Each structure stands twice: as C-alpha cells, then as structure tokens.
Amino acid sequence: MQTLTLNNGVRMPALGLGVFQTPPDETRAAVTAALGLGYRHIDTAAAYGNEREVGEAIRDSGIARDELFVETKIWISDYGYDETLHGFGKSAGKLGVEQIDLLILHQALPGDFGKTLEAYRALEKLLADGKVRAIGVSNFMVDHLRALLDATTVVPAVNQLEIHPYFQQREVQAFDRDHGILSQAWSPIGGITFYRDSGHTSALEDPVIGSIAAAHRKSPAQVMLRWGLQQGRSVIPKSTKPERIAENLDVFDFELTTAELAAIDSLETNKRGGPAPDTITLTTFGRPIPEP
C-alpha cells in the first residue's frame, strides 16, 4: 500500500475505504471485507451514523491498532470548543478507540465562522494532548482556509474535498499544496455524479475514461483512482460490494501517461455534485449526534 506523509510527519495509507451513506447494517460487512483484502485506512464521520459499526469491524478483525488508520469527522452540530471536545469523546467511544488517527471538521460554518474556529482550536487541543495524531478539515474553500490559518496555530494536515474528473477544485487544491495541506478526494470515482442530480452522466461511463481503461485492461473506476493517486491525492472510494472493494484496491500495478492524465484533467465541468460549502448552516443541516 502506498503511503503519504502528512505535514506533521504522520504516515497515512494513500487509499482508504469510505463509508459515506453506507447503512450501519452494511458498514460492518464492508469494513470487514476491506480489512481482509488489505485496506488499512477507513474514513467515517459522526454524521454518517456508522462509527460504531466501523469500530466493531476493526475490533473483530484482530489487526493491531497501530497497523490501522482511522479517520472521522466532527459534525457542525458539535462545533464550539467544549462541544467539539465532547464530539471527540462520542466518536472515540463509538469507534472503540482511545486515539483517532485523523480528526477533521466536516464542513465550514460560513455564517458562524467563530464557532468553526473554536471547534478547530479544540482539535488543536486534542492534538497537543495526544488524543489524535493529526487534524484537518473537509469541504473548506480558499476563503475558509485563509480565515482559519489567520486565526489558529496548526496548519490542517488534510482538506477532504469533492474531487473527481468532472469537478476538480483546482484553486483549492493549489492552495492546499502551497500550504502543505494534503487534498483528499471524496467521491473520487464520481459517485456523486449519479446518486445526486448534479447535471452529469456517470463518470464511469465517460468515453475518455473508458478508452484509457481499455488500454490498461483496467476498469474506469481504477483509472480514476490512479489519476488521483498519481496527482498526489489521497482517495477514499466507497463501496459495499466485496468485488468492488477489491477492485478499488488493485490500482498500484499500472501508471497513466502524461497524456492520459491530461485527457482526464480536460473533463472538468466545474459542476459540483455535493452541497455548496457556503450554503451550510445549522438551520438547514444541523442535527444532534447521539452519545456513544
């Protein structure tokens, strides 16, 4: 497994299993399958409602804790300094771990950025106390990142973003690179393009990607994951099907050419599939996160 070194020296597997929108009763089986196949990085979130099942699969796997990289996210309803410290406790309790490898803020709260800053300061405290190994953010745009860096001490290790061939967020990725922040792609095979009304057809059916896949005797999903990895990103594809989970891991035995990378780059449409970060409010998206 290829690894990436975060800005504080922590090493993280470049490819992980995401469990966004995976029902709790399917999460345990998906994570169990992934760990059995060789995955060592699992990405979940308090808002997904499946941290407990991720923790159960990790515990039952018998894999040593220090061989696994567990990533989760604090939801906006738990922003604020004390609230975020408590949010860590809820996530750690459900996951059944004492230390979380990467803890990130799930969204910015543009209308109450002060609460976002207090939440991040809580992450800094958790990092200083050794309760987390690295901290970061998710879905933060350039203006959010600038405001965060101006007001806090620790540069985020990761910024998790919607990144796939149709929506590449190049400006944010460039800012991340310039400041030592790793861009991590959620929906790296464009799943958001076909389970939300984003105005896209499925990236899995794109003829450019299909042609490149045929040339390498790989699947379109494998080509998109390889594109992300070769450009230095972390990728966290999701699936509940063991055969797809295995396929997504089988991306370290081929390389895309410079021309192939450029051809995929050219598919940019600037159409976001997920919610626009500036529309995130507690009124619209807030919901209580249960206790462990």
Side-chain angles (χ1 to χ4, degrees):
M1 170 66 72
Q2 177 184 335
T3 61
L4 297 166
T5 302
L6 304 181
N7 59 18
N8 65 348
V10 169
R11 296 190 68 80
M12 178 182 77
L15 187 149
L17 178 75
V19 294
F20 172 57
Q21 289 193 333
T22 302
D25 59 347
E26 296 179 27
T27 297
R28 188 185 300 103
V31 175
T32 297
L35 295 176
L37 289 162
Y39 284 75
R40 292 297 181 264
H41 176 184
I42 308 296
D43 170 78
T44 183
Y48 296 171
N50 55 20
E51 288 175 308
R52 190 182 313 280
E53 289 71 24
V54 168
E56 289 170 352
I58 287 172
R59 180 197 65 215
D60 293 345
S61 73
I63 299 169
R65 176 66 185 90
D66 61 4
E67 294 181 19
L68 298 173
F69 194 94
V70 181
E71 174 179 1
T72 193
K73 310 172 193 70
I74 299 289
W75 186 238
I76 58 173
S77 302
D78 284 338
Y79 282 11
Y81 188 82
D82 291 335
E83 295 89 340
T84 297
L85 293 177
H86 186 63
F88 161 81
K90 289 193 285 188
S91 288
K94 291 170 189 172
L95 289 164
V97 299
E98 294 184 0
Q99 183 187 59
I100 292 172
D101 296 293
L102 175 60
L103 184 62
I104 65 181
L105 301 184
H106 206 143
Q107 300 276 357
L109 266 180
D112 192 353
F113 203 72
K115 191 178 286 288
T116 305
L117 292 176
E118 287 303 306
Y120 193 79
R121 291 186 182 111
L123 297 191
E124 292 180 317
K125 170 67 172 171
L126 292 165
L127 180 66
D129 289 348
K131 294 185 176 181
V132 300
R133 297 176 64 218
I135 61 176
V137 295
S138 178
N139 302 305
F140 273 50
M141 301 296 96
V142 170
D143 56 339
H144 306 142
L145 292 168
R146 284 200 179 108
L148 182 75
L149 293 176
D150 286 345
T152 57
T153 302
V154 178
V155 177
V158 166
N159 185 14
Q160 190 182 113
L161 300 160
E162 177 185 348
I163 303 174
H164 48 78
Y166 293 157
F167 190 65
Q168 298 173 33
Q169 306 217 64
R170 292 173 186 166
E171 181 187 10
V172 187
Q173 286 200 67
F175 188 94
D176 285 349
R177 280 193 301 273
D178 289 346
H179 292 81
I181 303 168
L182 176 69
S183 295
Q184 183 179 66
W186 64 261
S187 194
I189 59 176
I192 195 76
T193 66
F194 53 88
Y195 61 73
R196 286 178 64 98
D197 182 15
S198 61
H200 292 296
T201 55
S202 169
L204 293 169
E205 299 173 0
D206 188 280
V208 171
I209 295 170
S211 176
I212 295 170
H216 290 276
R217 297 185 179 180
K218 291 289 185 176
S219 70
Q222 289 171 319
V223 165
M224 284 185 273
L225 293 172
R226 188 68 207 171
W227 169 71
L229 291 167
Q230 279 188 227
Q231 293 185 334
R233 290 184 290 277
S234 166
V235 293
I236 45 171
K238 64 155 285 187
S239 181
T240 58
K241 299 177 180 178
E243 64 274 17
R244 296 296 187 197
I245 294 171
E247 176 186 302
N248 289 342
L249 188 62
D250 186 22
V251 293
F252 296 101
D253 60 350
F254 75 107
E255 284 198 7
L256 302 176
T257 67
T258 300
E260 289 169 337
L261 293 170
I264 299 172
D265 286 347
S266 72
L267 299 176
E268 171 71 82
T269 68
N270 289 310
K271 289 183 179 178
R272 184 187 297 278
D278 283 340
T279 67
I280 301 297
T281 67
L282 283 167
T283 300
T284 305
F285 290 95
R287 61 180 181 276
I289 301 298
E291 297 294 326

